[in-house]
Amino acid sequence: MPARHAFRAIAPEAAGMPLYRVVKRALLRAIESGQAPPGQALPSETELAASLGVSIGTLRKAVDELVAEHLLVRRQGRGTFVATHNPDRFLFQYFHVERADGLREAPEVDLVSYERQRCEEDAAQALGLRVGDPVVQVENRLRLQGKAVVHDRLMLPAALFKGLSEKRFAEREATIYQLYQSDFGITVVRALERARAVAADRAAARVLGIPLGTPVMQVRRTALTFGDRPVEYRVSTIDTRHHDYVHLLSRPTSRHE
């Protein structure tokens, strides 16, 4: 059922910025608060515009931006829905490794290790924690076309993922980000990545089956939820001998208000 009661008319004094941005913020608040949960249909454009007290054109501009940011999704003939983290979204928004000839497919993921640790300095800085705070560390091997290509090391703040266990993580039904969303109410909305060329360390060499010191690509990702709050720190080591890191760039949404 559509989230009909999550939206109220926008007060005239709220318009200290373009009105569509006020509408966008109202929609974001409803998504973040859970009043419009993942997979939920929004009311029709006519009904939603009336509830917010704006024109359909203003509403559409706000919705267009949220669709471009993968927070809403339009389904032909069915309406607009709050986006969920499904395998397609993972593959095209968050997984950027493909074979050098352009073949892109979802990786097969093997759980290498799962343990609770104390947060180290690089993860603490990325996650806004203190060194020594409890974290869950997960290591995965990602295989493409049957070959080990990516070694992932994830650090998760233990305070955000209470109840997470190795069994629960290993037996998830879909992607890791969908597990965060469905089981812990944490939606990853964007990620900050930094890439560099490094030599494979012992852990990566062992997991990827390559000689120690092999040139590899390392991508450090901080996954962010609403309000740019960090929820995951991930270090991906990629064997690029036969695979590339490919990211489609697009013009960013204007930030002028």
Side-chain angles (χ1 to χ4, degrees), residues 64-244:
D64 285 346
E65 286 200 0
L66 292 173
V67 169
E69 294 168 10
H70 306 283
L71 293 173
L72 295 177
V73 59
R74 288 190 174 101
R75 295 176 182 166
Q76 187 66 34
R78 297 181 58 194
T80 302
F81 293 76
V82 180
T84 59
H85 273 288
N86 56 35
D88 286 343
R89 182 176 177 185
F90 166 76
L91 184 61
F92 292 104
Q93 187 179 0
Y94 293 106
F95 188 70
H96 306 297
V97 180
E98 62 183 43
R99 204 165 66 185
D101 63 4
L103 176 64
R104 175 175 288 212
E105 62 182 24
E108 297 178 69
V109 182
D110 304 319
L111 178 62
V112 175
S113 69
Y114 179 102
E115 55 189 343
R116 293 184 177 271
Q117 290 194 349
R118 296 296 175 181
C119 193
E120 297 179 353
E121 185 174 357
D122 58 341
Q125 183 174 0
L127 293 170
L129 301 177
R130 295 174 297 182
V131 173
D133 280 350
V135 294
V136 175
Q137 177 173 291
V138 180
E139 284 189 85
N140 287 326
R141 177 192 296 110
L142 278 58
R143 290 181 287 118
L144 293 169
Q145 299 84 49
K147 297 181 179 180
V149 178
V150 183
H151 169 228
D152 268 352
R153 184 165 57 93
L154 290 67
M155 276 68 70
L156 309 174
L160 291 181
F161 293 91
K162 294 178 180 178
L164 181 62
S165 64
E166 180 174 355
K167 177 179 173 63
R168 193 171 179 183
F169 186 89
E171 296 180 357
R172 64 188 183 278
E173 295 184 357
T175 69
I176 293 172
Y177 285 177
Q178 187 168 350
L179 173 71
Y180 298 170
Q181 187 179 60
S182 62
D183 288 25
F184 298 95
I186 296 173
T187 297
V188 173
V189 297
R190 60 179 60 85
L192 172 66
E193 293 188 336
R194 296 182 182 274
R196 64 175 64 173
V198 301
D201 61 16
R202 292 188 182 278
R206 170 178 53 83
V207 170
L208 297 177
I210 57 178
L212 181 67
T214 298
V216 291
M217 181 178 183
Q218 184 183 83
V219 179
R220 295 173 178 261
R221 172 193 294 177
T222 304
L224 307 168
T225 189
F226 298 100
D228 283 344
R229 289 176 291 158
V231 296
E232 176 205 85
Y233 178 60
R234 179 183 305 220
V235 180
S236 299
T237 302
I238 306 166
D239 180 359
T240 57
R241 290 177 297 175
H242 305 293
H243 291 78
D244 297 327

Side-chain angles (χ1 to χ4, degrees), residues 10-102:
I10 293 171
E13 61 270 17
M17 62 181 72
L19 188 55
Y20 83 92
R21 288 196 176 275
V22 184
V23 172
K24 181 180 177 182
R25 289 188 177 187
L27 295 172
L28 278 171
R29 281 196 300 271
I31 296 170
E32 183 178 2
S33 68
Q35 291 178 294
Q40 178 84 57
L42 294 184
S44 69
E45 288 186 343
T46 301
E47 184 177 356
L48 187 52
S51 296
L52 293 168
V54 299
S55 70
I56 288 180
T58 296
L59 173 68
R60 283 179 181 166
K61 190 169 183 179
V63 170
D64 285 346
E65 286 200 0
L66 292 173
V67 169
E69 294 168 10
H70 306 283
L71 293 173
L72 295 177
V73 59
R74 288 190 174 101
R75 295 176 182 166
Q76 187 66 34
R78 297 181 58 194
T80 302
F81 293 76
V82 180
T84 59
H85 273 288
N86 56 35
D88 286 343
R89 182 176 177 185
F90 166 76
L91 184 61
F92 292 104
Q93 187 179 0
Y94 293 106
F95 188 70
H96 306 297
V97 180
E98 62 183 43
R99 204 165 66 185
D101 63 4

Side-chain angles (χ1 to χ4, degrees), residues 237-255:
T237 302
I238 306 166
D239 180 359
T240 57
R241 290 177 297 175
H242 305 293
H243 291 78
D244 297 327
Y245 187 87
V246 180
H247 197 146
L248 178 64
L249 301 179
S250 60
R251 180 176 297 176
T253 300
S254 172
R255 294 182 179 273

